[in-house]
Amino acid sequence: MHKAHWRKTALAHRRDLTPQHVQAQSQALAEHLIQYFTANPVSSLHIFLPIRKHNEIDTFLIWEQLRQRFPAMRFAASVSDFQTFAMRNYWLENNTNLVENAWGIPEPVGATLAHDADFEAVLVPLLAFDEKGFRVGYGKGFYDRFLAKCRPDVRKIGLSLTPPVPAIADAAEHDIKLDLCVCPDQIYYFQD
Ligand SMILES: Nc1nc2c(c(=O)[nH]1)N(C=O)[C@@H](CNc1ccc(C(=O)N[C@@H](CCC(=O)O)C(=O)O)cc1)CN2
Ligand SMILES: Nc1ncnc2c1ncn2[C@@H]1O[C@H](COP(=O)(O)OP(=O)(O)OP(=O)(O)O)[C@@H](O)[C@H]1O
């Protein structure tokens, strides 16, 4: 099946989730991530902030727990430009002002600019991923563009409430694969 099919299926599935389900599953992801970063530490992590009206994973909860558990870890989040599909990234502090943009994405305001090469790991949003580590997003290519500018060894960590789909048939050259994907039940690791 192709991206368009998986995108549609995932959006339909997401619409039916309750906030309680999303919370409980996000908590399970936070626990896997704590275990993962305990074994594989990073000092800087790029995160996405959730579009709540789309029942996205509660990365506020994940951020909160990671910063408590790893006080030295630095976090960054994006401001998205829907004209160019580029993301500008800013360091998050505990008191960073966040304002929702027109698409419902909370974005940092008045924060310090970060550089794409600063991040050791990136938490990647997705609608579906497959058994090879390819992903489908909303289809604007924000993350394909962003990850292409990060350092080559940046750890690309997908977050998903659902298990992998068998194969994304039209995964293309510019699609950057995940290194791992964290799900409520387990972490999936992908080889090159
Ligand atoms: N939290 C979060 N931030 C993110 C992403 C994401 O998936 N999640 N993105 C990942 O690349 C980029 C934003 N991508 C987006 C692309 C399209 C739409 C959009 O068109 N939204 C429509 C409805 C979409 C639908 O339900 O079909 C809308 O809000 O009206 C929103 C975000 C960058 N930041
Ligand atoms: N590195 C890149 N440079 C320029 N254009 C790109 C790049 N990566 C992807 N694109 C373009 O972006 C569009 C969307 O790509 P794709 O369908 O893979 O998005 P997606 O991964 O599902 O969405 P997103 O990354 O926003 O979550 C495509 O038209 C593709 O050609």
Side-chain angles (χ1 to χ4, degrees):
M1 295 290 186
H2 293 76
K3 285 183 188 177
H5 168 84
W6 296 126
R7 191 174 285 132
K8 210 171 125 195
T9 307
L11 284 168
H13 173 262
R14 216 178 241 190
R15 264 194 293 278
D16 295 335
L17 302 177
T18 63
Q20 290 76 13
H21 178 82
V22 174
Q23 280 299 109
Q25 301 287 77
S26 302
Q27 179 59 39
L29 296 189
E31 286 162 22
H32 283 305
L33 283 165
I34 286 171
Q35 278 189 356
Y36 174 78
F37 287 125
T38 300
N40 307 278
V42 296
S43 59
S44 56
L45 178 66
H46 184 280
I47 66 174
F48 62 95
L49 297 174
I51 307 176
R52 289 208 153 115
K53 64 175 180 183
H54 290 330
N55 285 332
E56 284 195 339
I57 290 159
D58 187 355
T59 47
F60 280 119
L61 180 156
I62 290 170
W63 174 27
E64 172 73 29
Q65 295 191 17
L66 290 178
R67 76 182 183 217
Q68 277 179 22
R69 185 65 182 68
F70 306 104
M73 207 188 262
R74 300 189 73 198
F75 299 89
S78 298
V79 170
S80 303
D81 181 336
F82 278 79
Q83 240 94 63
T84 60
F85 307 123
M87 307 195 316
R88 282 167 78 77
N89 304 303
Y90 297 87
W91 293 113
L92 294 173
E93 310 299 339
N94 293 352
N95 62 355
T96 298
N97 194 13
L98 298 171
V99 175
E100 267 189 25
N101 72 9
W103 286 265
I105 306 172
E107 295 185 329
V109 172
T112 305
L113 192 65
H115 300 283
D116 296 327
D118 289 338
F119 313 123
E120 287 177 26
V122 176
L123 297 186
V124 184
L126 50 85
L127 287 168
F129 72 105
D130 73 10
E131 288 168 355
K132 287 185 173 161
F134 287 110
R135 64 177 275 281
V136 184
Y138 291 111
K140 304 275 192 260
F142 276 101
Y143 271 82
D144 291 324
R145 287 182 183 78
F146 166 51
L147 292 170
K149 292 189 293 172
C150 290
R151 57 172 96 159
D153 64 345
V154 67
R155 248 177 279 165
K156 299 168 284 291
I157 305 174
L159 298 185
S160 179
L161 297 186
T162 50
V165 301
I168 296 166
D170 52 343
E173 192 67 20
H174 67 253
D175 289 320
I176 297 185
K177 276 171 59 175
L178 302 170
D179 294 300
L180 58 149
C181 190
V182 179
C183 292
D185 297 340
Q186 70 169 99
I187 301 183
Y188 294 84
Y189 293 89
F190 308 107
Q191 317 295 337
D192 283 336

